[in-house]
Each structure stands twice: as structure tokens, then as C-alpha cells.
Amino acid sequence: MVEATISVPGFGFYPSEVWSVFGPMRKVSGGNHSDEEVCEMLGILWEAERERVGEVGLACRPQWDGVTSCIPSTLPDQVSTLPCMEEYNGQLFNTNYNISKLCMSDGTWDNYTDYTDCLEHPLDLEVEGVSEWEIFIFL
């Protein structure tokens, strides 16, 4: 049976079983942990899982990029791709586009995280000159 994988903006694609544990830990979901802390926990799980199955060889571990995203693990000479973050510094982004980062041949991450697609596709919630939404409640 193939596990269902879900898209998690700013984190990547994870089995729903894994994300159901880590997702609620995030402060943005009402938890007590920053995204950076959750990323580190994902890295610890990744290392434990590699050890459990006896996986050897080079690979890039999940890594907080120092800005706003947790880059998922990948093999050397591969590009890790994940959905754009939902928000950064008050700007919303289209999560249909991607962030990418290269895992180099020695199993370390390149210094550069490519946010180009995200930055070229910010979400503009302004609709026909209206920049704020008003809510009316009729009793």
C-alpha cells in the first residue's frame, strides 16, 4: 500500500501519517515549536529512520535554510523541491510554485536556496482596489 503524501508549504511533501504528528507542533498551528525546531525534529526522525533500515551512503539531511523553509532530504547531485512558503514578512505567496536547493555530490547542501518562483508569484489579495475586507454580521 502506498502512503498518502501531502504538500506542506515551506516544508515539502510528507506522508500524511508523519505530518499529522509534526504539523500540530508548529506555532502557526497552535503548537509550541517554531518551524526551525520542527525542521530539526524532522531531521532527527530522518536520521533514526535511516539507521533503523540500515541505510548507508551520502544524502542531504532535512535542513532549515535560515530564512523560512525546511529543505527536505535528498540524494547527492539531486535538487530538493518543496512548495513555496505561505507567508514571509507579511507577504503571502502562491504555494503552487516551488523552492529548490541542490544537494551537492559530497552530501552537503549548496549555500543557495532558490526562492525565484516564489518571489515572482506573490499573492495579491487586493481585489479591484479594495485592500481590506469588511465583515458584516446581520442579526
Side-chain angles (χ1 to χ4, degrees):
M1 185 170 117
V2 176
E3 280 188 80
T5 302
I6 59 171
S7 170
V8 183
F11 276 86
F13 303 90
Y14 286 91
S16 55
E17 183 179 281
V18 170
W19 198 250
S20 68
V21 173
F22 287 95
M25 293 179 180
R26 299 173 66 202
K27 286 182 182 176
V28 298
S29 299
N32 296 322
H33 298 283
S34 69
D35 284 353
E36 184 174 1
E37 292 168 332
V38 172
C39 185
E40 179 60 25
M41 288 184 249
L42 284 165
I44 292 167
L45 174 67
W46 178 81
E47 289 171 348
E49 190 62 18
R50 278 178 56 98
E51 186 175 312
R52 184 184 72 79
V53 299
E55 192 172 318
V56 294
L58 296 175
C60 286
R61 177 188 196 275
Q63 176 194 5
W64 182 252
D65 77 341
V67 181
T68 186
S69 295
C70 183
I71 310 301
S73 64
T74 196
L75 297 173
D77 296 319
Q78 300 291 314
V79 174
S80 184
T81 303
L82 61 148
C84 293
M85 61 282 177
E86 292 175 310
E87 182 270 336
Y88 181 67
N89 282 343
Q91 173 65 58
L92 299 176
F93 293 92
N94 188 334
T95 58
N96 292 323
Y97 294 90
N98 294 313
I99 298 163
S100 60
K101 189 171 186 114
L102 173 66
C103 177
M104 298 188 301
S105 60
D106 64 355
T108 61
W109 288 109
D110 185 22
N111 290 330
Y112 177 70
T113 304
D114 188 354
Y115 282 93
T116 304
D117 281 349
C118 304
L119 297 173
E120 290 178 351
H121 298 94
L123 287 179
D124 185 5
L125 296 182
E126 189 170 317
V127 179
E128 295 181 16
V130 178
S131 60
E132 294 183 24
W133 293 91
E134 294 182 21
I135 298 174
F136 294 98
I137 299 175
F138 296 96
L139 301 177

